C-alpha cells in the first residue's frame, strides 16, 4: 500500500468526526455569531420577516445596560468560588484514599461515581427533599436552619446549587485523579520513605506535584461546567430564584431566546460567555502549569 493511499485512508477515518464537528459545533457557533449582529427572532417556516442588522447594539446593551446579565455573572462567580476549590480538594483526597489498598475499595469507587451517571432530575428531586422549607435538613437543624429557607434564601441558594453540582460530578473527577495516580512511580514514594518522609510529606512533595496535569484538567472542566450551569437552577430554584440569585448566563440566554423570542440578544449572551470562559480557562492553564 502506497503512502498516498495510507494518507487518504487516514482522512476517511477522521471524516465522521470532522462531519460531526462541522454540523454540530462549527456551524451552530458561526450561526450564533451571525445572529448576534441582528435583531433576530424565530418565525414560522416560510414566513417573510425582517431581521434588521444592528451591529454591536446587542453587545452594547448586554455589557453596559443589562443589570440581570451582570447579576448572572456574579452568581456564576459565587458558584465557581465554591464548586471549583471544593471539587479539586475533595477529588484529590478521595482519589488518594481510594488508591490505597483498603477493603471494599471497588464498592466505594462505584458509589462515588454513581451520582455522575444518575439522571439530573432524580438527583434534584432528592436535594429538593433535603433542602426545601419542610425538608429533612431543616427538620434536623430545627432553629439553626436559615430563615428564609435554603433555596429561597438570597445568600444560601447558589451555595446549595454549587454543593449539589459538586456532589453529583465528584465521582468523575475522582476517576481522573485515580488514573493520574497510577502514573506516579512507586519508586518516588519508596525513596521518600527511606529518607524518613511521613504520609503528609509524601502527599505534599510527591502526590500533589504528580497530579498537576490532572489538576489543570479538573479546574478547567469544572469551570466550564459551572459557566454552563442550567439544569440545577432551572429545576431546583424555579428558574433562577430567589430574585435571580441563582440565575445563570445560560439560563438567562434560554429565557431571552426561547421564552422571549429575542434570539439575537440570546446569541450575544452566548458569544460573550464563550469568550469569557475561554479567557478564564487560558488564564487558569497558564497559572497552574507554570513552574
Amino acid at each position: 500500500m502506497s503512502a498516498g493511499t495510507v494518507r487518504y485512508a487516514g482522512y476517511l477515518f477522521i471524516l465522521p468526526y470532522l462531519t460531526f464537528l462541522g454540523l454540530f459545533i462549527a456551524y451552530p457557533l458561526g450561526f450564533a455569531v451571525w445572529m448576534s449582529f441582528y435583531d433576530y427572532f424565530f418565525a414560522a417556516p416560510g414566513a417573510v420577516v425582517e431581521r434588521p442588522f444592528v451591529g454591536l447594539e446587542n453587545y452594547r446593551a448586554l455589557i453596559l445596560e443589562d443589570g440581570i446579565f451582570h447579576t448572572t455573572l456574579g452568581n456564576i462567580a459565587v458558584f465557581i468560588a465554591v464548586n471549583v476549590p471544593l471539587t479539586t480538594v475533595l477529588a484529590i483526597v478521595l482519589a488518594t484514599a481510594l488508591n490505597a489498598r483498603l477493603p471494599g475499595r471497588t464498592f466505594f469507587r462505584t458509589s462515588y461515581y454513581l451520582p455522575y451517571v444518575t439522571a439530573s432530575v432524580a438527583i434534584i428531586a432528592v436535594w429538593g427533599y433535603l433542602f426545601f422549607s419542610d425538608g429533612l435538613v431543616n427538620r434536623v437543624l430545627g432553629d439553626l436552619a436559615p430563615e428564609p429557607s435554603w433555596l429561597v434564601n438570597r445568600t444560601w441558594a447558589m451555595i446549595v446549587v454549587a454543593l449539589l453540582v459538586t456532589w453529583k460530578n465528584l465521582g468523575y473527577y475522582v476517576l481522573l485523579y485515580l488514573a493520574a495516580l497510577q502514573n506516579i512511580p512507586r519508586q518516588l514514594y519508596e525513596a521518600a520513605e527511606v529518607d524518613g518522609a511521613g504520609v503528609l510529606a509524601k502527599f505534599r512533595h510527591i502526590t500533589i506535584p504528580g497530579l498537576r496535569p490532572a489538576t489543570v484538567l479538573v479546574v478547567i472542566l469544572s469551570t466550564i461546567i459551572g459557566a454552563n450551569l442550567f439544569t440545577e437552577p432551572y429545576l431546583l430554584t424555579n428558574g433562577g430564584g430567589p430574585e435571580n440569585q441563582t440565575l445563570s448566563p445560560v439560563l438567562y440566554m434560554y429565557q431571552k431566546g426561547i421564552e422571549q423570542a429575542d434570539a439575537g440578544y440570546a446569541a450575544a449572551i452566548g458569544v460573550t460567555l464563550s469568550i469569557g470562559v475561554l479567557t478564564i480557562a487560558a488564564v487558569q492553564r497558564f497559572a497552574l502549569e507554570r513552574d
Side-chain angles (χ1 to χ4, degrees):
M1 184 179 293
S2 66
T5 303
V6 173
R7 182 180 63 183
Y8 289 122
Y11 288 144
L12 289 176
F13 280 117
I14 66 172
L15 182 60
Y17 176 73
L18 291 178
T19 302
F20 173 84
L21 190 67
L23 289 177
F24 296 102
I25 297 180
Y27 172 73
L29 181 59
F31 187 55
V33 173
W34 178 81
M35 280 197 306
S36 68
F37 295 112
Y38 288 82
D39 183 10
Y40 195 97
F41 58 93
F42 297 111
V48 179
V49 296
E50 291 187 3
R51 300 183 177 103
F53 178 78
V54 295
L56 296 175
E57 175 58 26
N58 286 329
Y59 293 97
R60 186 198 65 79
L62 178 70
I63 295 172
L64 299 181
E65 299 177 357
D66 195 336
I68 296 179
F69 178 67
H70 299 161
T71 298
T72 66
L73 296 180
N75 295 341
I76 287 300
V78 172
F79 177 91
I80 291 175
V82 175
N83 172 257
V84 174
L86 193 60
T87 294
T88 305
V89 172
L90 288 178
I92 291 176
V93 172
L94 290 174
T96 303
L98 294 175
N99 193 50
R101 295 182 178 180
L102 59 109
R105 67 175 180 176
T106 301
F107 168 76
F108 288 112
R109 288 178 178 181
T110 304
S111 299
Y112 283 116
Y113 190 71
L114 190 60
Y116 180 73
V117 296
T118 302
S120 294
V121 174
I123 296 293
I124 290 169
V126 173
W127 277 68
Y129 171 75
L130 292 174
F131 286 98
F132 282 157
S133 299
D134 57 348
L136 179 62
V137 174
N138 280 1
R139 292 203 296 269
V140 171
L141 292 178
D143 294 337
L144 297 177
E147 183 64 36
S149 190
W150 307 93
L151 299 177
V152 291
N153 189 299
R154 289 173 55 90
T155 301
W156 285 103
M158 181 53 86
I159 295 176
V160 171
V161 172
L163 293 176
L164 163 59
V165 176
T166 300
W167 177 76
K168 186 180 188 308
N169 295 334
L170 187 61
Y172 174 70
Y173 299 119
V174 168
L175 283 185
L176 292 180
Y177 277 122
L178 277 172
L181 285 170
Q182 309 303 314
N183 293 324
I184 301 177
R186 293 297 308 171
Q187 293 85 344
L188 295 178
Y189 292 102
E190 294 169 358
E193 289 177 0
V194 171
D195 292 337
V199 174
L200 292 179
K202 289 187 291 184
F203 181 77
R204 177 183 176 186
H205 297 290
I206 299 177
T207 303
I208 295 298
L211 293 178
R212 178 181 291 185
T215 299
V216 174
L217 179 61
V218 168
V219 169
I220 291 176
L221 283 179
S222 55
T223 300
I224 293 173
I225 290 174
N228 287 277
L229 186 69
F230 176 84
T231 306
E232 289 78 12
Y234 181 74
L235 296 177
L236 193 61
T237 62
N238 195 27
E243 300 178 6
N244 295 327
Q245 292 306 301
T246 60
L247 185 66
S248 67
V250 174
L251 181 52
Y252 186 46
M253 180 170 59
Y254 165 81
Q255 293 176 350
K256 281 291 186 179
I258 304 301
E259 295 180 354
Q260 301 177 26
D262 193 350
Y265 196 82
I269 296 174
V271 173
T272 303
L273 180 63
S274 298
I275 294 173
V277 170
L278 289 174
T279 302
I280 292 173
V283 172
Q284 288 175 330
R285 181 174 180 180
F286 172 79
L288 291 172
E289 288 187 344
R290 68 178 181 177
D291 294 328

